[in-house]
């Protein structure tokens, strides 16, 4: 099958240009296969990242016609349907190093900022359950799409916040550690800066849902409705939040201590 | 035969007024329900938001209705997601209904179909009526569209593909006779969700569709969601100052565009009439 791709190319801060390549690929080829073919047969100076080729490493994130994807998991045939020439560009919201290669350092800085390692004592056993965020391969696709990040480059952004939520939900961590994590993501550039556009959920190639992770962090955090962890504590602290008359009776009931609330 | 819905009249008065005005021609029987859906708390007080959604759904069911109509993207997403969770999780439903019982509110089964207005307007039934009653086709009107991010995503929670969710607004606009001016940010975000917590982000996001629409020579920006409408209309001066641009473009909710085409509530559309 013959495919043509328009690739956004740039180097060393020079103005980007689009360059069109046509190659022949096998049936069932992925976008990464097509990029490999272009590099092998057309222009070996083309720069892009790839490693495992099977969706596990998260290295090959790019944008196709404005949509962020993992190249190795994206079949190329639908992209070129009807003779369409898709535009392949580097991930958004990242500085570009060259062609399709972006500088991931801002991403890793935010990852470090949320303290990505579990803070558990030796012998604490395994993490309970299987939180959705475990599936994150740190590819940066959600970050590439993030509307808030486009307007606040310091926003922690969906990937780091999803990992933070994973640890907040880890019952092996102490309350003190959990409170520290929640405070850490509650600042100006934390969870409250999310516009809730849902692009992170929609584009995540692994089915992680950062939007709902962020909502939980906001609920549990100092500015949220929880006032602390636990299902009973979570619904407290709702006074003075502009309750509408239609809901205030219910909200008052939610705030009231339960008989089984031992706090 | 009319389609009967509970209608959550919690949008701007001009939007709710337009919805009421177009309903008879489109054979929509709206039973207005005054309730807080909890959508405004969905990202900050998720537990309270769920309970408020349940209270709203329970109220709708107690009226013998099984369908809710809303003009807001956020309310659509929140109520649909809440209804699904409550219907699917017996223990959760029992816990929430116990709370509702404490305040004398009727319980919910979660079996309520939550529809956004634009989805209903884009149904074959409503489009046929729109064509039939369109007294003033807006043939000379060039409009850019903003579909409302929470009417598109997360598509898993909305029950259709993002591609399918993109279509209804364009169909309604075409049925009104107006022509769409494509803009890149038509499936983007107006920023309303963080207008209070991070207004500079919200204003920056809101500017994008307005600027693109102006640059594309659109005569109006038509939005699917009453929340986007309120954000773009009420904060337009701030948005314009923020990007140092003149953004004197009328913003219309889709119900107002339909009202213009049906020539039924001109007063609610004075910005463009």
């Amino acid at each position: 099958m013959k495919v043509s791709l328009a690739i956004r190319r740039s180097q060393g801060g020079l103005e980007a240009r689009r360059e069109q390549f046509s190659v022949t690929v096998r049936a069932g080829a992925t976008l990464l296969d097509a990029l490999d073919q272009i590099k092998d047969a057309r222009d070996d100076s083309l720069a892009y990242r790839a490693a495992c080729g099977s969706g596990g490493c998260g290295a090959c994130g790019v944008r196709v016609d404005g949509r962020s994807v993992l190249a190795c998991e994206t079949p190329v045939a639908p992209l070129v349907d009807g003779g369409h020439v898709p535009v392949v560009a580097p991930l958004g919201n990242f500085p570009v190093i060259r062609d399709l290669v972006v500088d991931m350092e801002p991403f890793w800085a935010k990852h470090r900022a949320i303290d990505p390692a579990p803070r558990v004592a030796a012998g604490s056993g395994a993490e309970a359950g299987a939180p959705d965020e475990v599936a994150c391969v740190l590819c940066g696709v959600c970050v590439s799409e993030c509307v808030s990040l486009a307007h606040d480059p310091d926003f922690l952004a969906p990937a780091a916040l999803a990992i933070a939520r994973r640890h907040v939900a880890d019952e092996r961590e102490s309350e003190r550690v959990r409170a520290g994590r929640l405070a850490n993501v509650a600042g100006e550039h934390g969870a409250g800066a999310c516009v809730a556009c849902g692009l992170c959920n929609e584009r995540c190639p692994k089915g992680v849902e950062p939007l709902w992770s962020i909502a939980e962090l906001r609920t549990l955090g100092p500015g949220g409705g929880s006032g602390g962890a636990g299902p009973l504590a979570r619904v407290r602290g709702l006074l003075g939040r502009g309750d509408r008359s239609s809901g205030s009776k219910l909200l008052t009931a939610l705030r009231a201590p339960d008989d089984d609330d031992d706090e | 035969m009319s389609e009967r819905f509970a209608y959550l009249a919690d949008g701007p008065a001009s939007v709710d007024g337009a919805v009421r005005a177009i309903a008879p021609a489109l054979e929509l029987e709206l039973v207005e329900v005054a309730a807080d859906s909890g959508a405004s708390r969905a990202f900050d007080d998720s537990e309270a938001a769920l309970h408020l959604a349940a209270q709203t759904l329970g109220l709708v069911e107690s009226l013998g209705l099984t369908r809710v109509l809303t003009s807001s993207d956020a309310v659509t997403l929140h109520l649909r997601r809440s209804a699904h969770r409550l219907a699917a999780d017996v223990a959760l439903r029992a816990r929430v209904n116990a709370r509702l019982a404490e305040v004398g509110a009727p319980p919910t089964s979660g079996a309520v179909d939550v529809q956004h207005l634009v989805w209903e307007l884009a149904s074959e039934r409503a489009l046929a009526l729109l064509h039939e009653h369109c007294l003033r086709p807006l043939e000379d009107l060039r409009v850019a569209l903003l579909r409302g991010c929470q009417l598109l995503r997360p598509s898993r929670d909305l029950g259709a593909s993002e591609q399918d969710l993109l279509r209804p607004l364009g169909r309604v606009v075409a049925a009104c006779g107006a022509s769409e001016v494509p803009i890149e940010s038509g499936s983007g975000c107006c920023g309303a969700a963080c207008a209070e917590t991070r207004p500079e982000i919200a204003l920056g996001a809101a500017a994008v569709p307005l600027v693109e629409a102006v640059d594309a020579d659109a005569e109006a920006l038509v939005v699917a969601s009453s929340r986007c409408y309120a954000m773009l209309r009420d904060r337009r001066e701030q948005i314009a100052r923020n990007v140092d641009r003149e953004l004197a473009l009328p913003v219309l909710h889709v119900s107002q565009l339909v009202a213009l085409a049906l020539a039924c509530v001109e007063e609610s559309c004075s910005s463009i009439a």
Side-chain angles (χ1 to χ4, degrees):
Chain A
M1 180 180 61
K2 188 175 178 184
V3 302
S4 296
L5 304 178
I7 300 180
R8 189 173 189 272
R9 305 196 65 179
S10 64
Q11 186 170 9
L14 297 176
E15 195 173 337
R17 66 188 192 283
R18 276 186 201 171
E19 202 166 327
Q20 187 165 324
F21 297 95
S22 297
V23 288
T24 301
V25 297
R26 63 175 170 79
T30 66
L31 177 60
L32 180 58
D33 293 328
L35 291 173
D36 286 341
Q37 189 65 18
I38 289 168
K39 190 170 179 70
D40 287 346
R42 297 283 182 268
D43 186 344
D44 64 3
S45 73
L46 178 66
Y48 57 95
R49 278 202 186 94
C52 75
S54 58
C57 71
C60 62
V62 292
R63 279 186 300 169
V64 186
D65 291 335
R67 175 185 286 247
S68 303
V69 298
L70 286 182
C72 72
E73 288 192 332
T74 305
V76 77
L79 301 177
V80 299
D81 194 30
H84 176 64
V85 180
V87 176
V88 184
L91 291 178
N93 289 326
F94 286 92
V96 177
I97 295 174
R98 180 175 155 180
D99 296 342
L100 304 178
V101 177
V102 296
D103 180 1
M104 296 290 284
E105 178 48 31
F107 177 89
W108 298 123
K110 289 169 185 174
H111 195 59
R112 290 191 295 272
I114 56 95
D115 188 8
R119 298 295 171 195
V120 297
S124 298
E127 186 176 7
D132 291 345
E133 296 91 341
V134 169
C136 177
V137 294
L138 302 169
C139 61
V141 162
C142 59
V143 171
S144 170
E145 297 281 329
C146 180
V147 168
S148 289
L149 191 59
H151 298 282
D152 175 10
D154 294 323
F155 176 45
L156 281 171
L161 290 169
I163 302 296
R165 205 295 311 187
R166 173 187 172 182
H167 293 310
V168 164
D170 187 344
E171 292 178 355
R172 301 170 303 167
E173 292 198 339
S174 69
E175 285 297 320
R176 186 182 58 80
V177 170
R178 184 173 296 134
R181 289 191 184 280
L182 288 171
N184 195 30
V185 300
E188 183 186 5
H189 306 293
C194 171
V195 294
C197 68
L199 280 163
C200 51
N201 282 29
E202 200 66 31
R203 301 287 182 263
C204 175
K206 297 296 154 188
V208 178
E209 299 185 311
L211 177 64
W212 304 130
S213 303
I214 291 169
E216 191 165 341
L217 289 174
R218 285 168 64 152
T219 293
L220 293 172
S226 70
L232 297 173
R234 278 178 198 181
V235 293
R236 291 184 182 153
L238 296 169
L239 269 181
R241 297 176 59 82
D243 299 348
R244 294 173 58 154
S245 57
S246 58
S248 60
K249 198 173 167 189
L250 176 61
L251 294 175
T252 303
L254 288 170
R255 257 196 356 262
D258 260 20
D259 293 341
D260 59 347
D261 184 2
D262 56 3
E263 292 180 358
Chain B
M1 184 179 165
S2 292
E3 295 291 316
R4 196 160 186 253
F5 289 93
Y7 178 64
L8 288 182
D10 58 356
S14 54
V15 170
D16 287 333
V19 173
R20 289 184 194 106
I22 65 175
L26 301 178
E27 297 180 5
L28 296 172
E29 184 186 345
L30 304 180
V31 179
E32 295 202 18
V33 174
D36 181 351
S37 70
S40 64
R41 298 168 186 271
F43 294 94
D44 295 299
D45 290 328
S46 53
E47 186 78 356
L50 175 66
H51 280 77
L52 289 167
Q55 182 175 246
T56 301
L57 297 169
L59 179 58
V60 168
E61 288 179 83
S62 74
L63 296 170
L65 299 166
T66 57
R67 294 192 293 174
V68 173
L69 196 66
T70 167
S71 64
S72 159
D73 67 337
V75 174
T76 303
L77 174 62
H78 176 59
L79 281 185
R80 282 186 78 93
R81 186 163 185 259
S82 299
H84 178 75
R85 290 178 64 196
L86 290 162
D89 187 336
V90 176
L92 176 69
R93 189 167 71 243
R95 177 167 69 80
V96 170
N97 279 335
R99 284 295 197 185
L100 296 184
E102 284 178 29
V103 295
T108 180
S109 67
V112 176
D113 181 24
V114 180
Q115 290 288 319
H116 188 273
L117 176 72
V118 77
W119 299 345
E120 180 56 28
L121 294 178
S123 67
E124 293 302 322
R125 186 198 66 82
L127 287 177
L129 288 167
L130 186 49
H131 280 298
E132 185 184 333
H133 295 291
C134 190
L135 297 178
R136 192 168 63 184
L138 308 172
E139 282 161 0
D140 297 327
L141 191 65
R142 293 161 38 84
V143 297
L145 310 185
L146 181 65
R147 291 167 174 85
C149 48
Q150 291 184 9
L151 272 184
L152 304 175
R153 302 175 293 267
S155 57
R156 180 175 166 181
D157 296 291
L158 292 165
S161 74
E162 190 184 11
Q163 208 55 39
D164 286 341
L165 292 165
L166 280 167
R167 297 189 181 108
L169 184 58
R171 284 187 183 146
V172 177
V173 166
C176 290
S179 52
E180 179 183 349
V181 178
I183 58 171
E184 218 171 279
S185 63
S187 59
C189 179
C190 73
C194 70
E196 302 301 327
T197 51
R198 289 295 306 277
E200 69 280 22
I201 293 177
L203 294 174
V208 177
L210 281 172
V211 168
E212 286 184 5
V214 168
D215 289 347
D217 288 330
E219 294 168 283
L221 178 64
V222 176
V223 300
S225 171
S226 54
R227 189 174 65 144
C228 303
Y229 171 77
M231 175 75 192
L232 297 174
R233 183 200 60 177
D234 297 346
R235 298 178 189 248
R236 186 163 37 193
E237 283 183 21
Q238 279 177 281
I239 296 166
R241 271 200 308 274
N242 202 42
V243 292
D244 196 20
R245 285 283 305 262
E246 182 75 25
L247 298 173
L249 184 76
V251 176
L252 290 177
H253 185 256
V254 61
S255 60
Q256 294 174 320
L257 187 83
V258 172
L260 275 175
L262 297 176
C264 54
V265 281
E266 293 190 33
E267 68 277 13
S268 76
C269 311
S270 55
S271 59
I272 192 166

